[in-house]
Amino acid sequence: MEFFVAQLLTGLANASSLFLVACGLSLIFGVTRIVNFAHGSLYMLGAYIGYTLMQNLPGAVGFWGSILLAGIAVGIIGVLVEVLVLRPVYRAPELFQLVATFGVILVIQDLTLIIWGPEDLLGPRAPGLRGVYRIMGEPIPKYDIVLLVITPFIALALWYLITQTRVGVLVRAATQDREMVGALGVNQAVLFTGVFALGSALAGLGGALQLPKGGADLLMDFHILAPVFVVVVIGGMGSLPGAYLAAVIISVLNVFGVTYLPQSTLVLMFVVMVVVLMIRPYGLFGREEVAGEHGQVGEPELPIKPASNSVRMIVMAGLALLALLPVFGSSFAMVLTTDILIFCLFAASLHFLLGLGGLVSFGHAAYYGGGAYIAALLVTHANSPMEIAFLLAPLGAGLAALAIGWVCLRLTGVYFAMLTLAFAQLLWSLVFQWGSVTGGDDGLVNIWPSDWLNSTTAYFYFALLFSVGGILVLRHVAHSPFGYALRAARDSKRQAESTGINTQKVQLLAFGFAGFMGGLAGTLFVFSKGSVFPNELEIARSFDALIVVFLGGVKTLAGGVAGAAFFKGVEDLLTRFEYWRLVMGLLIIFVVIVAPQGIVGSIRKAAIRLNILKQGGQT
């Protein structure tokens, strides 16, 4: 019993920082509808700024003052991010803002590296709180007990602010109906900035508070990101009581999981999220209308015409130039182009789901990495020829997508997106921990193609054939009756069903088809590199695909391909420099602000305007 109580108290203490970061994210989403992936970076800044202040402000007053000042400083940084980066793209499709926040992540990562260096910083002990208390004979760190006392007071202060003040009334009103709040004369820009500053300050406060327990390092932004989103989704997007309850549940379960089932620590919170969302689709205290609003990716698009003859001629000329690359290019150019072609197919498979189906998947790397691992496992453990593995791996990825889609399509909006992320993380943890089969963190190596494809030139043509062929098949399906049915289900599910379209079946088949194509890209990847590692299933790989789709243009069929080619080409160029993330982040933010319709969408818009001007000049 004593040990049980000690574990429970430790879990409650761990919930403190998690709650502060999660409630800040929940507030921001509730009012602005922004899925702020840079929230973990604000948490990291709070830790680094708090560390610096603690080195210069001695004593207990300096320690606690540093934590408070760190929260204020991060709140001010949040204001700059909201005004300079997010405010210009509020009118863009809501999830397009995700790309902007990812650009902020890259910028903050390198700025933190420049200012504080690459070494991990050991957090100072809280003055007067060293040592432990004995509770029922079990040692509990004194600082944990203080956190147990502080967190409820912060939660009560937030409750009072939201429920008992005029500012809180406006925040709750904006959460319910932003347009009505604006119609009543409330300055939405000021309200959004204030809420973003408060949410950022809470994230910074959480980062500074955890310093005596964990210190500061350059990876803590990504380490906190998944738990925070899990907590917010379980509690219900926009719900502070839900965020507190979910933080407690996740933290306590994690402490007991480490003790009694160590293998579960990587997946336990995602299993809990899946179970909760299956029982309560919008979280413990969530509302359907909040999720439904966020599920849109902008206004329904105009019908996309098939490519004109001139466009087809340009594409054919480009493919002809690619086919001549082995004649005039180097081996490095062929390897780089192969990587770009494979990534273009991966991005195009996600674009099929997101652009045509309005299904925003945060876990599409599950099928890309899944296809790679299925092929590698067939070659390694079944001694399968490369040709058989190449045929079976995409099919396996497609079947996995059908199974995952059958569960996820019960939900909508950000809950759907987070559930896809949960399944991707479950697959990643399975690959990471099942070392005897998958190789664990060491991956699987020596997965080379057959002798007839062993040369760089032969595999380049092989990848060119299947990557371009896959993209053309995706485009052909987009213009087929199935593609139009998928768009109908995206734009108006009720009207589509009234015409006899089984929208659930159409979306499920689209999910499986996109998974098959993502698996094909992964299969091409593993044979091009000769190895595969768990990072191909990580969140970052899914984010890469999301970024390029939005950069290229959600509302264009070529958006995923153009965005992937641009992203991969620029990434290869910039990674040669020490602070390439800073430049890449600024470039992403620039494109988001200047070309909110994406690269292809902006080019198409400019072409339409030019055509109108020419017609006006002729008349």
Side-chain angles (χ1 to χ4, degrees), residues 123-480:
R125 295 291 186 91
L129 295 175
R130 299 182 181 182
V132 299
Y133 290 116
R134 291 281 174 177
I135 298 179
M136 300 178 69
E138 292 291 334
I140 306 294
K142 292 181 179 180
Y143 189 69
D144 283 3
I145 301 299
V146 172
L147 289 180
L148 287 174
V149 176
I150 289 176
T151 305
F153 277 105
I154 296 176
L156 285 173
L158 287 172
W159 172 83
Y160 183 83
L161 174 67
I162 298 299
T163 62
Q164 304 297 318
T165 66
R166 174 176 170 77
V167 172
V169 171
L170 293 178
V171 170
R172 284 185 287 125
T175 302
Q176 297 284 343
D177 194 331
R178 292 178 297 170
E179 288 71 21
M180 182 60 70
V181 170
L184 292 175
V186 176
N187 190 326
Q188 287 193 13
V190 173
L191 179 63
F192 282 18
T193 303
V195 169
F196 201 92
L198 176 60
S200 301
L202 290 170
L205 193 64
L209 272 174
Q210 66 79 44
L211 274 171
K213 294 171 66 67
D217 62 79
L218 293 171
L219 296 177
M220 62 190 302
D221 53 348
F222 275 106
H223 288 164
I224 194 68
L225 195 59
V228 166
F229 271 98
V230 168
V231 165
V232 171
V233 169
I234 289 176
M237 300 297 287
S239 171
L240 297 187
Y244 184 75
L245 179 58
V248 170
I249 292 172
I250 293 301
S251 298
V252 171
L253 284 178
N254 187 62
V255 168
F256 282 101
V258 169
T259 303
Y260 296 108
L261 195 61
Q263 296 83 359
S264 70
T265 54
L266 294 177
V267 299
L268 186 59
M269 62 181 176
F270 293 103
V271 172
V272 173
M273 184 171 77
V274 171
V275 172
V276 169
L277 293 184
M278 291 299 292
I279 299 172
R280 293 187 61 84
Y282 303 103
L284 297 175
F285 296 95
R287 300 188 313 278
E288 180 176 357
E289 59 268 22
V290 174
E293 287 176 12
H294 198 79
Q296 298 298 322
V297 291
E299 294 296 325
E301 65 184 43
L302 296 175
I304 301 176
K305 298 179 181 179
S308 63
N309 290 331
S310 59
V311 171
R312 292 179 181 179
M313 292 298 295
I314 293 173
V315 172
M316 292 294 292
L319 292 176
L321 288 175
L322 279 177
L324 293 174
L325 182 63
V327 178
F328 302 102
S330 62
S331 295
F332 173 78
M334 284 189 286
V335 171
L336 176 60
T337 306
T338 300
D339 291 344
I340 292 175
L341 287 170
I342 293 171
F343 194 69
C344 284
L345 176 58
F346 175 41
S349 68
L350 175 61
H351 184 271
F352 183 84
L353 268 186
L354 200 156
L356 294 180
L359 302 172
V360 184
S361 172
F362 285 175
H364 203 63
Y367 320 117
Y368 176 75
Y373 262 99
I374 292 172
L377 289 171
L378 287 171
V379 171
T380 302
H381 295 292
N383 294 320
S384 172
M386 176 261 184
E387 293 81 2
I388 300 298
F390 186 82
L391 291 174
L392 294 180
L395 289 174
L399 290 174
L402 284 174
I404 293 173
W406 183 78
V407 178
C408 296
L409 287 170
R410 301 166 187 264
L411 305 178
T412 59
V414 75
Y415 294 99
F416 166 84
M418 289 305 299
L419 198 53
T420 62
L421 176 61
F423 277 107
Q425 285 299 101
L426 289 173
L427 289 175
W428 170 79
S429 64
L430 176 66
V431 167
F432 189 85
Q433 292 187 321
W434 200 6
S436 60
V437 175
T438 64
D441 196 30
D442 294 329
L444 295 172
V445 297
N446 294 323
I447 317 297
W448 298 109
S450 299
D451 292 339
W452 63 280
L453 284 175
N454 217 12
S455 69
T456 302
T457 302
Y459 200 83
F460 167 77
Y461 282 120
F462 184 77
L464 176 64
L465 173 65
F466 280 94
S467 297
V468 173
I471 293 169
L472 292 178
V473 169
L474 284 164
R475 187 178 181 90
H476 178 75
V477 173
H479 286 298
S480 70

Side-chain angles (χ1 to χ4, degrees), residues 426-561:
L426 289 173
L427 289 175
W428 170 79
S429 64
L430 176 66
V431 167
F432 189 85
Q433 292 187 321
W434 200 6
S436 60
V437 175
T438 64
D441 196 30
D442 294 329
L444 295 172
V445 297
N446 294 323
I447 317 297
W448 298 109
S450 299
D451 292 339
W452 63 280
L453 284 175
N454 217 12
S455 69
T456 302
T457 302
Y459 200 83
F460 167 77
Y461 282 120
F462 184 77
L464 176 64
L465 173 65
F466 280 94
S467 297
V468 173
I471 293 169
L472 292 178
V473 169
L474 284 164
R475 187 178 181 90
H476 178 75
V477 173
H479 286 298
S480 70
F482 177 80
Y484 290 118
L486 183 60
R487 293 188 210 181
R490 174 202 63 193
D491 293 338
S492 180
K493 209 167 187 178
R494 289 183 179 178
Q495 292 183 13
E497 289 174 348
S498 68
T499 63
I501 297 174
N502 187 334
T503 56
Q504 192 78 9
K505 181 179 179 181
V506 167
Q507 289 179 332
L508 180 59
L509 290 175
F511 212 89
F513 178 61
F516 173 86
M517 286 300 181
L520 177 61
T523 308
L524 287 169
F525 169 82
V526 70
F527 286 115
S528 71
K529 299 302 180 185
S531 59
V532 61
F533 300 93
N535 63 313
E536 301 307 328
L537 288 158
E538 286 181 345
I539 298 174
R541 189 67 69 242
S542 295
F543 287 178
D544 286 346
L546 281 167
I547 288 171
V548 301
V549 168
F550 283 102
L551 282 179
V554 176
K555 297 181 180 300
T556 62
L557 292 180
V561 177

Side-chain angles (χ1 to χ4, degrees), residues 2-166:
E2 294 82 0
F3 180 74
F4 180 86
V5 172
Q7 293 291 91
L8 179 63
L9 292 175
T10 301
L12 291 173
N14 292 342
S16 301
S17 294
L18 189 57
F19 163 68
L20 290 175
V21 184
C23 71
L25 179 64
S26 191
L27 274 174
I28 291 172
F29 176 85
V31 175
T32 67
R33 297 298 188 271
I34 292 175
V35 181
N36 181 24
F37 279 106
H39 208 66
S41 299
L42 299 173
Y43 165 81
M44 179 178 69
L45 282 177
Y48 273 99
I49 293 173
Y51 176 87
T52 300
L53 291 172
M54 289 175 189
Q55 303 305 307
N56 296 280
L57 300 176
V61 175
F63 176 83
W64 296 107
S66 297
I67 291 175
L68 182 61
L69 290 174
I72 295 172
V74 175
I76 295 172
I77 294 172
V79 170
L80 295 176
V81 170
E82 194 274 341
V83 171
L84 298 177
V85 179
L86 296 176
R87 187 177 293 182
V89 296
Y90 274 139
R91 295 187 180 275
E94 289 175 343
L95 283 173
F96 192 82
Q97 297 148 10
L98 178 148
V99 181
T101 63
F102 194 86
V104 172
I105 290 175
L106 297 177
V107 170
I108 291 178
Q109 277 184 339
D110 263 7
L111 287 179
T112 304
L113 175 62
I114 293 170
I115 296 172
W116 284 282
E119 294 83 10
D120 295 351
L121 304 179
L122 182 63
R125 295 291 186 91
L129 295 175
R130 299 182 181 182
V132 299
Y133 290 116
R134 291 281 174 177
I135 298 179
M136 300 178 69
E138 292 291 334
I140 306 294
K142 292 181 179 180
Y143 189 69
D144 283 3
I145 301 299
V146 172
L147 289 180
L148 287 174
V149 176
I150 289 176
T151 305
F153 277 105
I154 296 176
L156 285 173
L158 287 172
W159 172 83
Y160 183 83
L161 174 67
I162 298 299
T163 62
Q164 304 297 318
T165 66
R166 174 176 170 77

